Amino acid sequence: MGGIGSGPWGTARYYTVEESCVLDTAWLRIRGVLKVGLVARSTSTWTRGGEHVASIAWQVDTTEPGWEHIELSYTVRSRDQAAEEIRDHFTLVTSQPHFGGVRWWFACACGRRCGKLYLPPTARHFRCRTCYRLVYACQRETDADRMLRRAHKIRRRLNPDIALSRPPKPRWMRWATYRRQLDQADALETQALVTALKWLRLGAG
């Protein structure tokens, strides 16, 4: 799987959900491959920023009751670029939601039932989020980062070109609403700068 390293298992814990390749039972269900008595195979590809990150061949087999599973096949590369073929499999289990139907889960190697499996950079095997202690990127934001993200979100809502500090007013928006949102974005950016400077002074002290 191009671009994925095979470093120590523990190093994967420093990454986030957004940096990882994700295999999702909901994604498989939507494509109609999670059905009893079915064998389906395909290849999934991940991209980031328009560039290819990884590819994985998988096969779902639900023909044998009690042994429904998914097999994975991919290549990882170590830091010295040595390639290693990885073949792995996970049991597929089901539950019965109160609203009816059937819900499918992966049985992770740790014994947990999960809807998604993750392969962070430097990791060799897909595992659940708990195994790698993955967090979402927003959980590692500082207060200043969070304020800037909110300000950028407001500006993107006004105009996709967030490079513009004063984006033009959308035709459908009232002037009062437009000015209020710009003022809010300006206030958040100012507050973020003040917060960042405060922490720099504390660090210097």
Side-chain angles (χ1 to χ4, degrees), residues 156-171:
R156 284 197 300 269
R157 191 185 307 128
L158 295 174
N159 191 295
D161 187 2
I162 60 173
L164 297 175
S165 59
R166 309 296 291 185
K169 182 184 76 67
R171 293 183 179 181

Side-chain angles (χ1 to χ4, degrees), residues 23-44 56-65 67-73 87-94 103-107 115 117:
L23 193 61
D24 190 348
T25 54
W27 184 86
L28 294 172
R29 178 180 54 78
I30 291 172
R31 279 150 185 79
V33 301
L34 290 183
K35 295 180 179 180
V36 176
L38 179 69
V39 175
R41 60 179 61 88
S42 186
T43 300
S44 295
I56 177 173
W58 52 265
Q59 175 175 294
V60 171
D61 188 340
T62 59
T63 56
E64 185 176 348
W67 180 232
E68 296 88 349
H69 62 281
I70 182 170
E71 297 180 358
L72 311 178
S73 177
R87 295 184 65 87
D88 212 343
H89 75 272
F90 296 89
T91 301
L92 294 168
V93 296
T94 60
R103 184 170 184 181
W104 291 84
W105 307 86
F106 298 115
L117 295 171

Side-chain angles (χ1 to χ4, degrees), residues 16-18 20-23 114-120 123 125-130 132 134 136:
T16 63
V17 167
E18 290 82 358
S20 307
C21 298
V22 184
L23 193 61
C114 57
K116 296 181 180 181
L117 295 171
Y118 300 87
L119 183 70
H125 295 280
F126 279 85
R127 293 292 184 265
C128 68
R129 188 161 68 95
T130 302
Y132 286 127
L134 296 174
Y136 293 97

